[in-house]
Amino acid sequence: MCVYLYIHINIHSTHTYVTLDHKTSHKGTIADQPDFDAGSDAEALYNAMKGFGSDKEAILELITSRSNAQRQEIRAAYKSQYGKDLIDDLKYELTGKFERLIVGLMRPPAYHDAKEIKDAIKGAGTDEKCLIEILTSRTNEQIHNLVAAYKDAYGRDLEEDVIGDTSGHFKKMLIVLLQGTREEDDVVSEDLVEQDAQDLYDAGEAQWGTDEAKFIMLLGNRSVTHLQLVFDEYQKIAENSIEDSIKSELSGDFERLMLAVVQCIRSKPMYFAKRLYKSMKGLGTADNTLIRIMVSRSEIDMLDIRECFRLRYEKSLYNMIQDDTSGEYKRTLLNLCGGDDDIAGEFFPEAAQIAYKMWEISAMTKVQLRGTVRPYQNFDPASDAQALRKAMKGFGTDEDTIIDIVTHRSNAQRQEIRQTFKSLLGRELMADLKSELSKNLERLILGLMMTPAEFDAKMMKKAMEGAGTDEHSLIEILVTRSNQEIQEMCSAYQNAYKKSLEDAIVSDTSGQFKRILISLAQGAREEGPVDMARALEDAQVLADACNADSGDMEDKFMSILCTRSFPHLRRVFQEFVRCSNKDFEQIIKKEMSGDFKNAMFAIVRSVKNQPSYFADRLYKAMKGLGTDDRALIRIMVSRSEIDLFNIRKEFKETHDATLHEFIQGDTSGDYRKTLLIICGGED
């Protein structure tokens, strides 16, 4: 069967936004139960709650295998047969998150939304994220039903309650959304597309200050299809995405609200995939968010959300729920999820087309990389050398002066300071710093004072010395460095440790993993433009290697992934999807293991979006108990003049928190101060 799909694509920084306009049937995971009998189901639920204890398994299996419309019939039958309200009985019998989830499923959608909004605005604080999520993602009809349900359930006017609980431009935009008057999706005013884009540009980027009213009017009323075209046109005019402009022009809850509007215009399934991921990542789970989305989207677009989730996070929604929840609560959520996309390692037809397009854009997109540390304008190496000597002379050390000088000079300028320090004072700056500083601050400052090649060589040495090997460090460095950087690192390693880096790798690693590292350590990855014919050939070789009867899969993958240029590999991965319908990253996860798998995966992640790969490495270095300071120092030092600004943007986009906030919460003292200066901003 041929599936026709209209795909709208936009490039936002290094991200791809894809909007699906399906000309296919039901995209939910919950549908009407055939041979439905409301009376029989009401009796089954009554029996499951009768007597001492309750049969929770029977309750969750029945309720998650009926559509919401059928659940309302069951509720009516229950009342007529037993004279009791089914929701009241469920509340009495069940507890905690499981109760909230089951009761949420039993409410009509509009009443479930009304209850969520009511809970979001009652009491001392307001759950702005809940208000944003519901009001930006519902259709006109759903908004109208919500307003009516709120009035019916609480005897109050929703608009008045929102006005009483919010303020400023945030309040104004919520009120616009509450009208439910957005133009229908098929309304596109072609003659207004360019004008609207220009108006948005004039209201923000082009002037001092922002005309918020213009943003509210256009983003709150134009149709989804129209705004998608406007966003494309805006990118041409501003040479910037609408998202980046919103981030630079707006702030606080209003900024979050307008970004959510844009994300829902781009792709509601991708918006919800991000919300679900953020509800479960890290310590603790935002169960209210998780429940609300799983309940509200289970009959609408959960299949699309699952596809977007796996495309973005390289992990199935099913597996993340499985890892993050427990008991009957988990089993209910998994039933609503409807399946594990990691099992097959293949795309749904729609997702395969999205993946193909995403890799195509990755192959064409030129991303401007930006560091956070730049050369100092009024640089005087002699003055800096004298100031550093003074900061370390006598009793005590002036750490503030050391930090200020070292973090505000480029690496090339730091090397001049080292040379000048020796020629003027006859002393080794590195030795003096080492004797005056301690612990993580010493490691960080010394790392900044080394040349990039010296620093990488030291990090490689540290990763291999002692009892254990830090394989992740070896992978990270060798996968992400250019040919020139690797060759310079190898020379620095030989000079510092009187041993070749290749010999060190051979003696410290083994098997296929050793072969990958040695291949990467040659610094001989191809450079130059993509050879389209060869890209097709490479894609077919990889697809053939994935066949069950192929015994040389790892060799084939290594021969291509370790030697081809990144632009070439982007094209290869695109064509791989076309000729195999398989998810490249899932194949690696399923068919490979150990450090070899980690290395292959790191290559793919770097090819796709290297700043995102580093953002993920930084997140893992700081999440949970304890901090991997070696990884934190290594990335902050090595990327500070290359792409740390891009890494910051990726970090915030994926983790809903800034890199600055993570460093602030996870480190302390002068070490933290130095890291925050290198970070370069709060985003």
Side-chain angles (χ1 to χ4, degrees), residues 471-594:
E471 292 86 0
H472 287 292
S473 297
L474 299 178
I475 291 167
E476 176 201 299
I477 294 170
L478 290 174
V479 162
T480 59
R481 301 312 191 248
S482 68
N483 288 342
Q484 183 179 345
E485 287 169 334
I486 288 174
Q487 289 158 11
E488 289 172 354
M489 174 180 66
C490 288
S491 296
Y493 195 96
Q494 180 76 49
N495 291 338
Y497 309 112
K498 311 309 175 194
K499 181 180 184 178
S500 76
L501 178 57
E502 185 174 328
D503 287 346
I505 291 170
V506 168
S507 61
D508 205 68
T509 58
S510 60
Q512 291 279 52
F513 180 55
K514 175 178 72 176
R515 291 177 58 206
I516 283 186
L517 295 183
I518 291 172
S519 174
L520 295 172
Q522 304 310 302
R525 188 179 286 283
E526 294 171 358
E527 296 172 345
V530 177
D531 180 338
M532 212 31 224
R534 192 162 173 238
L536 293 170
E537 183 182 317
D538 284 346
Q540 194 59 58
V541 167
L542 292 173
D544 292 343
C546 293
N547 294 334
D549 58 352
S550 175
D552 59 353
M553 181 182 185
E554 291 187 346
D555 286 342
K556 290 286 174 60
F557 270 60
M558 194 175 86
S559 69
I560 292 173
L561 268 65
C562 292
T563 61
R564 308 298 195 258
S565 71
F566 276 20
H568 181 87
L569 286 174
R570 290 186 191 105
R571 181 64 67 180
V572 170
F573 296 155
Q574 178 197 358
E575 295 305 320
F576 176 87
V577 175
R578 184 186 57 77
C579 61
S580 72
N581 203 43
K582 285 181 166 57
D583 180 342
F584 201 86
E585 290 162 61
Q586 287 304 313
I587 292 297
I588 290 171
K589 283 183 179 179
K590 275 170 57 74
E591 302 297 335
M592 299 173 189
S593 61

Side-chain angles (χ1 to χ4, degrees), residues 64 364 600:
T64 57
M364 297 187 304
M600 287 284 114

Side-chain angles (χ1 to χ4, degrees), residues 434-451:
K434 195 175 179 71
S435 67
E436 293 292 327
L437 307 175
S438 61
K439 296 184 179 174
N440 286 326
L441 178 63
E442 175 210 326
R443 290 195 280 270
L444 179 54
I445 292 293
L446 288 176
L448 288 164
M449 287 305 306
M450 294 175 187
T451 67

Side-chain angles (χ1 to χ4, degrees), residues 654-667:
T654 304
H655 301 294
D656 205 24
T658 66
L659 179 57
H660 190 282
E661 288 167 347
F662 257 67
I663 292 170
Q664 185 110 37
D666 216 60
T667 58

